[in-house]
Amino acid sequence: MKKEDLPQEPGALSRLTRELCYVKNEDGKYETALSKGWDIKKEALDSAWVEVNDRVEEARKAVANGEKSPVYYFMELNLMDLVVLSGYTGFFSFFIKRHFKPSVFKTLSDKKLEKYAQVFDISVSELKNFKG
């Protein structure tokens, strides 16, 4: 892409950052230039965030309906999966899956709840009392 053709359309992150791209200058040599973004990338990011927000909303409803524990909701809210949450907590994935069950969540020790709260950057009280 030529330097003058580099898109400068406001993107999803244009107020926070700019993207470094390689472009050809007038002499045909590659150099770096900054781009504010382009519509295609903005649409892709917007689509991804819609999907993320849908997953978080589904998790909230599952907690509200008593199908899942708050651990599941906060995992989704923090854009984590079982592997990532396991890495942060030190709990095996199969234990975390069990902690998704409201009946098991109610029996968790304060030490385990503190670990989850620390990972999610909330208080133990917020974790225990989240009702969706």
Side-chain angles (χ1 to χ4, degrees):
M1 177 181 309
K2 294 181 181 176
K3 189 172 188 173
E4 59 269 7
D5 296 334
L6 186 64
Q8 295 296 335
E9 299 148 0
L13 302 174
S14 62
R15 289 184 305 254
L16 304 172
T17 187
R18 293 175 50 182
E19 185 174 0
L20 182 66
C21 299
Y22 288 95
V23 296
K24 284 187 177 182
N25 63 15
E26 302 82 33
D27 301 329
K29 295 183 180 181
Y30 283 98
E31 64 180 42
T32 58
L34 294 174
S35 171
K36 292 180 182 175
W38 45 46
D39 285 336
I40 294 170
K41 184 178 263 187
K42 180 183 180 308
E43 289 174 21
L45 284 172
D46 289 347
S47 175
W49 278 112
V50 166
E51 186 176 327
V52 166
N53 290 331
D54 289 347
R55 288 183 62 154
V56 170
E57 180 59 19
E58 286 175 24
R60 186 198 62 75
K61 287 178 182 176
V63 173
N65 294 335
E67 300 163 5
K68 299 279 187 180
S69 77
V71 172
Y72 181 73
Y73 169 78
F74 285 106
M75 180 187 75
E76 289 291 345
L77 182 66
N78 287 280
L79 306 177
M80 296 179 174
D81 60 12
L82 281 170
V83 175
V84 172
L85 186 53
S86 177
Y88 278 110
T89 60
F91 302 146
F92 290 113
S93 295
F94 64 89
F95 283 123
I96 295 173
K97 278 185 185 178
R98 287 195 71 236
H99 299 165
F100 289 165
K101 297 178 182 178
S103 59
V104 175
F105 176 76
K106 290 176 187 173
T107 65
L108 291 179
S109 69
D110 285 342
K111 187 175 180 181
K112 287 181 182 173
L113 291 171
E114 285 174 22
K115 182 63 103 172
Y116 279 125
Q118 181 182 19
V119 168
F120 298 140
D121 196 27
I122 59 174
S123 69
V124 173
S125 176
E126 287 175 280
L127 182 61
K128 279 182 169 180
N129 298 318
F130 182 77
K131 304 293 184 213

